[in-house]
Amino acid sequence: MLALIIVSINFCDRPIADAMHAHGYSGTLLKLLSQVPLLLEIIAAVFIAGVFIKRYREHFSSLIINLIASIILASLVRVSSKMAFGRTWPETWADGNPSWINDGVEAFHPFAQGVAYNSFPSGHALFTFSLATVFWYHFPRLRPVWLACMLGVFIGQLGQNYHFLGDLLAGATLGTLIAHLVILASNKANSINKPNKE
């Protein structure tokens, strides 16, 4: 996946951003798709709130722990990696930030301060893939729903020219990795805590 991200950054990101800008693919559907993480965060919040109901807590304890851990880790990784990479955006969104479309600026500025340098990795993709992967693990029969969320965030964010493709690939990779690490750690902890039946 790293190779795909590097190829995207070097060869695909700017032409795709130019095409999205030239064709003006903005619309209600794309705006809704770009907000997929909000839907998943609401679903996660409902499950997490269930911790206050004993029967619900007992039935979904593993899911709740995985969701909380994934949200915390995804938040930490999102903030720290955006700061560390400092990539500019495809379009100008806030306070005249430098961008590829308006200024011909597409670059990484490690540890640069401010929202102008927060494009890489995509936080939307990171949260979508992290939460969707956790839900996919716990509710595999709803795989098409989780897959649609993953695909939807890519379509929405690219279609609105909110992120470069490389940003989305990096966010998706980090989100999936976080979810898998959380699930593995949770399963390991559960196997250690189970009493031996002899």
Side-chain angles (χ1 to χ4, degrees):
M1 194 58 145
L2 180 60
L4 189 58
I5 294 166
I6 292 169
V7 167
S8 180
I9 290 168
N10 287 300
F11 303 107
C12 303
D13 286 1
R14 291 174 297 282
I16 291 172
D18 287 336
M20 293 300 120
H21 180 75
H23 296 292
Y25 292 121
S26 63
T28 305
L29 178 61
L30 289 176
K31 286 183 183 180
L32 285 173
L33 288 174
S34 72
Q35 295 305 317
V36 166
L38 181 59
L39 170 67
L40 292 174
E41 288 164 5
I42 291 168
I43 296 168
V46 168
F47 278 103
I48 292 168
V51 79
F52 298 108
I53 302 167
K54 184 179 180 186
R55 191 174 118 203
Y56 189 84
R57 179 176 59 237
E58 290 171 354
H59 188 69
F60 293 110
S61 64
S62 179
L63 170 62
I64 293 167
I65 290 167
N66 289 344
L67 286 171
I68 292 170
S70 291
I71 289 169
I72 291 169
L73 282 175
S75 297
L76 292 171
V77 167
R78 178 179 165 258
V79 170
S80 60
S81 60
K82 281 181 177 288
M83 186 178 72
F85 289 104
R87 189 179 196 189
T88 54
W89 300 88
E91 299 259 6
T92 299
W93 304 115
D95 301 325
N97 64 282
S99 70
W100 172 247
I101 298 300
N102 285 7
D103 310 295
V105 175
E106 182 279 317
F108 288 85
H109 303 276
F111 304 104
Q113 302 269 328
V115 73
Y117 306 99
N118 282 348
S119 186
F120 186 91
S122 165
H124 283 75
L126 196 154
F127 273 91
T128 297
F129 276 72
S130 180
L131 293 173
T133 301
V134 169
F135 285 127
W136 187 324
Y137 176 78
H138 288 277
F139 303 107
R141 288 186 179 174
L142 296 175
R143 184 177 317 135
V145 173
W146 315 130
L147 194 56
C149 289
M150 293 170 169
L151 185 59
V153 78
F154 264 77
I155 293 169
Q157 292 287 311
L158 274 179
Q160 294 288 314
N161 218 9
Y162 288 158
H163 277 286
F164 292 109
L165 177 60
D167 303 343
L168 292 162
L169 292 170
T173 302
L174 288 170
T176 304
L177 179 64
I178 287 167
H180 281 287
L181 291 173
V182 165
I183 291 166
L184 285 171
S186 177
N187 289 345
K188 182 74 171 170
N190 286 339
S191 68
I192 291 171
N193 291 334
K194 284 184 182 175
N196 288 337
K197 293 180 181 178
E198 291 185 27

